[in-house]
Amino acid sequence: MSFIKRASTAIKYLLDAKVPFLKKIWIILGLIYLISPIDLLPEPILGFGIIDDIVLIMYILAKLAKDLDEYINKENKIIENVEYEVKDEKD
């Protein structure tokens, strides 16, 4: 799944009432860090202040990749790993 699709899925995941709060905590903490003025790399240092924000968001999305993929599959009702057989009408 692409970064942009995973990020948009993370927003839906965060707003879904069916998803337990403890599963949403990583996204919430990431958003708080993104909004807060405290950074590991301050903004004035060669303009690299946004890099730590981007790295953190990418880490959170990678950490939640499995949950987000399962969530989007359930949302789109995609069923995977199913064995099936195609039978001809003559049989």
Side-chain angles (χ1 to χ4, degrees), residues 27-79:
I27 299 171
I28 294 168
L29 291 175
L31 291 173
I32 289 171
Y33 180 80
L34 188 66
I35 294 169
S36 80
I38 300 169
D39 283 331
L40 294 174
L41 295 173
E43 296 295 331
I45 299 179
L46 302 172
F48 288 125
I50 198 159
I51 290 176
D52 64 332
D53 296 339
I54 293 170
V55 168
L56 180 72
I57 295 300
M58 289 176 65
Y59 171 77
I60 290 171
L61 291 177
K63 183 166 180 56
L64 295 175
K66 182 180 174 190
D67 288 340
L68 294 176
D69 289 345
E70 288 175 5
Y71 178 76
I72 198 70
N73 286 344
K74 285 180 185 176
E75 186 178 78
N76 291 330
K77 295 178 177 58
I78 295 174
I79 301 171

Side-chain angles (χ1 to χ4, degrees), residues 78-84:
I78 295 174
I79 301 171
E80 295 180 346
N81 300 327
V82 176
E83 293 184 29
Y84 61 93

